[in-house]
Amino acid sequence: IFRNAWRINFKLFIMAQTVTISGKRHYVINQIGKFPDYYPSVTTVIGAMTDDSGLTAWRERIGNEEADRISKLAVNRGTVMHMYNENYLNNLHLIKEERLKKILNDTEEWRLKEGFSEEEAKIGRNLFYNFYHAGYFDRVKSVIMQEEMLWSPNGGGYAGRVDLINSLHDNRIVITDFKTSKKPKRDDWINNYKMQISAYYVAYWQLKGIKPSHGEVWISNESDNQPQIFIISENDIKYWYSEFIKLVKEYHKLYGKEINSYKDSKKNI
């Protein structure tokens, strides 16, 4: 599958619509001349099919109310950081000082409109600044995709919204994923991130016929101002994609009946 990923030819019009099936997010895949398919999101597959006993134990230890508060803050700080990143990369045509001034204003207007708190905004902005001051954005020559949907029929099908696909100054194409954390990560803590990068790598290759060079996971943490870049090589991607596809197949075995029932219900409308 990995070796021949580029050979698949898709004729379709994509809109990033999502639906909830069995309490889980699925993307609507519209192909010309066919009824829509419903593919689970990459994060849905990984979340449903990997061990979450550590998270369950954490919730039991601190209580659901506190766990919900911390989880909401973590999600929202990440959303704010992602918006700063996205706005910054959407304005690469401006000189650096003008770009920063513009995106700080634009993102604050967005934050107020969306109702994120001052605390969430401050943390998210500081996480963005970690990348900015470390020069990570300077590595990006051009943006190819941001927050766009990718999908693949492999393993029964999956889809997701990629953070960033960009070219470097040596013209290599990279799949980039932004993450936040309370503290620095070790390489062996981010295997789920490696599967996520691998899923987008192959889906982009299939859909566009262009093979990226590698993947990168950028992690900004609250403990210090030293963000991390983990390089996911082509060999890494081969391994982690095979692991991911095992999960996709297991997911479709477990939830295929519900997906097909939902699909059939839409045919009858």
Side-chain angles (χ1 to χ4, degrees):
I1 290 173
F2 184 87
R3 184 174 61 252
N4 296 317
W6 64 273
R7 296 181 184 278
I8 299 175
N9 180 32
F10 299 99
K11 295 181 179 179
L12 72 164
F13 175 71
I14 287 287
M15 292 184 67
Q17 297 173 292
T18 61
V19 296
T20 300
I21 303 173
S22 298
K24 297 174 175 58
R25 186 175 64 206
H26 293 69
Y27 283 85
V28 182
I29 307 300
N30 293 296
Q31 300 185 64
I32 294 173
K34 292 180 63 178
F35 286 107
D37 283 313
Y38 300 91
Y39 288 170
S41 75
V42 172
T43 52
T44 290
V45 170
I46 294 172
M49 307 311 296
T50 54
D51 180 21
D52 65 352
S53 57
L55 180 61
T56 301
W58 170 74
R59 279 190 162 274
E60 291 175 351
R61 186 172 67 253
I62 68 172
N64 283 329
E65 185 176 346
E66 178 65 5
D68 288 343
R69 185 193 70 80
I70 294 172
S71 296
K72 180 184 177 184
L73 177 60
V75 169
N76 288 350
R77 78 181 180 198
T79 300
V80 172
M81 184 202 72
H82 274 76
M83 184 54 68
Y84 275 107
N85 293 354
E86 183 178 349
N87 286 343
Y88 189 86
L89 291 164
N90 277 337
N91 287 279
L92 291 178
H93 59 285
L94 299 176
I95 64 172
K96 196 169 184 178
E97 293 76 14
E98 290 181 0
R99 188 187 319 157
L100 183 61
K101 182 178 179 180
K102 174 177 169 50
I103 71 104
L104 290 175
N105 290 333
D106 289 351
T107 309
E108 178 63 7
E109 288 181 8
W110 166 86
R111 193 272 298 183
L112 292 171
K113 181 180 177 181
E114 295 297 320
F116 291 102
S117 70
E118 290 280 356
E119 181 184 15
E120 292 161 347
K122 180 180 178 181
I123 297 172
R125 185 167 55 250
N126 287 341
L127 292 169
F128 157 78
Y129 270 132
N130 286 345
F131 290 144
Y132 176 83
H133 290 304
Y136 282 23
F137 296 116
D138 297 336
R139 302 172 68 252
V140 177
K141 178 182 179 181
S142 64
V143 171
I144 297 169
M145 280 187 179
Q146 267 203 108
E147 293 294 333
E148 292 189 32
M149 189 179 82
L150 296 171
W151 65 276
S152 168
N154 293 353
Y158 66 86
R161 192 186 290 268
V162 66
D163 282 349
L164 173 67
I165 301 178
N166 61 282
S167 66
L168 303 178
H169 290 281
D170 61 6
N171 294 319
R172 287 180 297 162
I173 294 175
V174 180
I175 311 295
T176 303
D177 200 34
F178 306 127
K179 300 296 185 184
T180 64
S181 179
K182 291 290 289 184
K183 61 182 181 180
K185 297 281 191 182
R186 290 188 346 210
D187 182 80
D188 58 334
W189 294 352
I190 65 163
N191 291 342
N192 286 356
Y193 300 165
K194 296 173 185 177
M195 285 194 282
Q196 191 174 356
I197 283 281
S198 301
Y200 295 144
Y201 179 106
V202 172
Y204 178 77
W205 187 7
Q206 286 183 324
L207 289 168
K208 302 298 182 180
I210 300 170
K211 184 180 178 183
S213 166
H214 62 277
E216 296 183 359
V217 180
W218 296 13
I219 304 179
S220 182
N221 72 81
E222 295 181 48
S223 299
D224 58 38
N225 60 357
Q226 301 298 318
Q228 299 167 281
I229 290 183
F230 291 89
I231 303 297
I232 316 301
S233 70
E234 183 178 345
N235 284 336
D236 293 332
I237 287 168
K238 288 179 181 179
Y239 174 78
W240 288 109
Y241 190 70
S242 68
E243 295 298 299
F244 174 70
I245 285 298
K246 291 176 187 176
L247 300 185
V248 176
K249 291 177 179 178
E250 291 174 9
Y251 184 93
H252 281 282
K253 286 181 181 178
L254 190 61
Y255 295 103
K257 187 175 180 179
E258 289 91 336
I259 295 171
N260 288 332
S261 178
Y262 184 92
K263 184 175 181 178
D264 289 342
S265 72
K266 294 301 178 181
K267 289 180 182 178
N268 296 326
I269 294 178

